[in-house]
Amino acid sequence: MSGVLPTPAPVPTPESEEFWAATAQGKLLLRRCDDCQTPIWYPRGFCPVCGSFRTSWSEASGRGVVYTFTVVHRSGVPGYREALPYVVAYVELEEGPRLLTNIVECEPDDVEVGMAVRVVFFDTGKGSALYRFAPAPS
Ligand SMILES: [Zn+2]
């Protein structure tokens, strides 16, 4: 499908294992600091703001907005070449973190900074799914 990048299975680390397992259930998890409440992205076992090791998982709403993006028109990489043109974006979640991602389910020319998006999952077939974002219903 045009605009959709390949969906290779990630190799979970001990710190990301639960995150990737949740993606297979259609859930986007965020780690949150139990001491200063900062949402932590990417998944890791300590808070990058206050240094606390007291963190726990919570489910993100899956809603956010396009913070910035680019439309990729050229690639020689198999799998990526067939997806041209595709959108690579930073999406800012409602909870605050910004995720590097792929915008799908719309024409690249329709993507705008500030556009409301929602998470969608693409099954890797190996017990995980990759998160991408699509325009949110208005
Ligand atoms: Zn903290």
Side-chain angles (χ1 to χ4, degrees):
M1 186 194 307
S2 176
V4 178
L5 299 178
T7 308
V11 179
T13 64
E15 291 181 330
S16 69
E17 198 169 9
E18 196 167 338
F19 172 86
W20 290 116
T23 59
Q25 313 299 317
K27 294 179 181 173
L28 186 67
L29 298 186
L30 284 177
R31 204 97 189 144
R32 188 176 290 273
C33 177
D34 294 336
D35 288 320
C36 75
Q37 306 307 313
T38 299
I40 299 164
W41 183 259
Y42 53 91
R44 68 198 110 165
F46 67 95
C47 174
V49 172
C50 75
S52 174
F53 284 90
R54 296 184 349 108
T55 64
S56 46
W57 292 108
S58 60
E59 188 176 351
S61 69
R63 291 187 298 268
V65 296
V66 173
Y67 177 76
T68 190
F69 72 98
T70 189
V71 181
V72 179
H73 290 278
R74 290 171 189 264
S75 174
V77 181
Y80 288 74
R81 181 175 49 221
E82 292 77 7
L84 294 171
Y86 58 85
V87 179
V88 174
Y90 270 103
V91 162
E92 186 172 277
L93 298 179
E94 276 185 345
E95 292 83 0
R98 293 176 188 150
L99 285 58
L100 184 63
T101 188
N102 175 210
I103 304 294
V104 296
E105 298 180 16
C106 68
E107 293 301 320
D109 287 350
D110 294 338
V111 177
E112 297 178 337
V113 168
M115 184 174 87
V117 291
R118 63 183 166 79
V119 71
V120 291
F121 292 96
F122 286 70
D123 192 352
T124 64
K126 297 193 173 165
S128 60
L130 299 188
Y131 52 87
R132 289 174 178 145
F133 286 80
S138 51

